[in-house]
């Protein structure tokens, strides 16, 4: 048998994953798959998997039914979609997950994501709202010194590392930063969720919920065009045209000037506002005030 078999850590994690999925494993087939001898697999079972309640005979082994895990690769994939990282990795099949999740395996992968607000600060209201949302209960609370009553909570939304509550106040879908929600009370009344509201929450690129969005068009220089082609940097971004000069015409749909102006300022002088006029004028005034201050 060749000494260049599957690394031990990867081998063991893959076996645990399959056992957790409820599979009955054959020692002979595993030995062939991992390019090791059957005695190596037996040692894995006796030593590295000794902490698991395993039923086995001379060839086959499986977890006791009462010990079957509830977190399968499918569950992990579902969680990746829920947490917004489903498209982060090239694939999330069982083999890839095995390598990714093995702490002992010398992984070539490092992910550097958003900086998140301290979850301890929002955990109490997060957990309370989670239970209320599941029960379809109406709520009242204080938010930035204003009292809100008869609010219908729909979703907890994380945008750029910050947690918000998406809720309907009157007839308007709004977002509320969890850290600013005070004196939260659950009312006895329940409500029926609107599928249209859920769709709006899911399709919105951020937390600016507003049906009256307007389009902003900018021209991006060829020096920074690659960044806009790689991923969406603007809310509801769309590439209108790739010009022969290497420049881009880029569209964004926003609910408020504040949603787009800081992003445009970040890319100055490599970006030019084409429309609308009020964005161009406000940006120009901001720059003039900055220079003169």
């Amino acid at each position: 048998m060749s000494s260049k078999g599957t690394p031990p850590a990867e081998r063991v994690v893959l076996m645990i994953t399959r056992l957790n999925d409820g599979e009955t494993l054959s020692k002979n087939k595993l030995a062939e798959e991992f390019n090791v001898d059957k005695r190596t697999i037996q040692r894995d079972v006796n030593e590295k998997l000794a902490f698991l309640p395993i039923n086995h005979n001379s060839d086959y082994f499986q977890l006791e039914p009462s010990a079957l895990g509830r977190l399968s690769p499918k569950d992990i994939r579902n969680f990746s979609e829920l947490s917004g990282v489903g498209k982060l990795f090239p694939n999330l099949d069982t083999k890839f997950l095995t390598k990714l999740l093995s702490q002992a395996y010398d992984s070539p992968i490092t992910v550097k994501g958003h900086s998140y607000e301290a979850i301890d600060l929002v955990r109490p209201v997060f957990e309370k709202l989670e239970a209320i949302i599941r029960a379809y209960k109406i709520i009242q609370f204080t938010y930035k010194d204003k009292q809100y009553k008869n609010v219908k909570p729909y979703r907890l939304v994380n945008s750029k590392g910050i947690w918000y509550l998406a809720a309907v106040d009157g007839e308007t879908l709004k977002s509320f930063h969890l850290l600013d929600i005070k004196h939260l009370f659950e009312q006895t009344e329940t409500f029926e969720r609107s599928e249209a509201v859920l769709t709006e929450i899911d399709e919105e690129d951020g937390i600016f919920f507003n049906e009256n969005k307007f389009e902003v068009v900018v021209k991006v220089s060829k020096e920074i065009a690659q960044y806009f082609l790689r991923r969406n940097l603007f809310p509801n971004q769309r590439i209108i045209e790739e010009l022969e000069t290497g420049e881009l015409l880029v569209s964004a749909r926003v609910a408020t000037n504040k949603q787009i102006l800081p992003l445009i300022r970040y890319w100055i002088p490599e970006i030019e506002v084409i429309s609308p006029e009020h964005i161009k004028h406000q940006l120009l005034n901001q720059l003039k005030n900055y220079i003169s201050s």
Side-chain angles (χ1 to χ4, degrees), residues 96-127:
F96 182 83
L97 285 172
T98 297
K99 294 179 179 180
L100 186 66
L101 298 176
S102 173
Q103 296 299 315
Y105 187 69
D106 185 17
S107 175
I109 299 170
T110 297
V111 177
K112 297 183 179 181
H114 287 297
S115 296
Y116 299 98
E117 67 180 340
I119 190 61
D120 288 343
L121 298 177
V122 299
R123 180 176 286 113
V125 69
F126 182 101
E127 293 176 348

Side-chain angles (χ1 to χ4, degrees), residues 185-226:
F185 294 100
E186 173 186 337
Q187 299 180 194
T188 56
E189 298 90 347
T190 61
F191 70 99
E192 184 176 345
R193 293 196 303 180
S194 164
E195 289 300 324
V197 171
L198 290 171
T199 299
E200 185 177 352
I201 294 171
D202 290 340
E203 293 182 352
E204 173 56 42
D205 185 11
I207 46 86
F208 288 91
F209 304 115
N210 190 324
E211 293 182 0
N212 300 315
K213 290 185 173 63
F214 61 92
E215 184 179 46
V216 177
V217 178
V218 300
K219 183 163 68 174
V220 173
S221 74
K222 65 179 181 180
E223 282 74 21
I224 64 170
Q226 59 178 317

Side-chain angles (χ1 to χ4, degrees), residues 137-139 150-154 165-171 191-192:
K137 290 293 186 69
I138 292 174
I139 59 175
N150 301 317
V151 176
K152 301 172 182 177
Y154 271 77
L165 168 67
V168 173
D169 174 35
E171 299 297 326
F191 70 99
E192 184 176 345

